Amino acid sequence: LYVMRLLLDTHALLWFLEGDDQLSEGARKAIEKVENEVFFSPVSLFEMAIKSTIGKLTLKKTLASIRSDIEAAGIQQLSLK
């Protein structure tokens, strides 16, 4: 059994949650593979908030909804130690 640890950047995280075709099928399968550990940085949430505030990113959902989707998908948050 081959297990990977994946760290999603902001784009990959959003593309995965939104079902965007910009995320490759291979990447999507790796994220969805139950055996793999998938992480994101909380800095991604800050980046989304800042970019949406200044008009460089249009979010389809609120940050609270995105946060709920992350949890529902089993994506783990890295610590900012």
Side-chain angles (χ1 to χ4, degrees), residues 13-39:
L13 179 62
L14 277 174
W15 292 341
F16 176 75
L17 295 173
E18 295 176 349
D20 195 303
D21 289 340
Q22 292 182 79
L23 185 66
S24 73
E25 187 62 30
R28 182 169 307 286
K29 285 181 180 179
I31 295 167
E32 291 174 341
K33 188 174 179 182
V34 176
E35 295 83 14
N36 290 339
E37 295 180 68
V38 184
F39 300 91

Side-chain angles (χ1 to χ4, degrees), residues 40-75:
F40 78 100
S41 170
V43 174
S44 289
L45 297 175
F46 293 121
E47 182 181 1
M48 288 179 215
I50 291 167
K51 287 190 174 187
S52 66
T53 299
I54 63 174
K56 291 196 173 205
L57 176 67
T58 302
L59 296 172
K60 295 179 181 178
K61 295 183 174 186
T62 66
L63 283 174
S65 291
I66 291 170
R67 181 74 176 173
S68 294
D69 291 349
I70 291 169
E71 291 176 14
I75 301 171

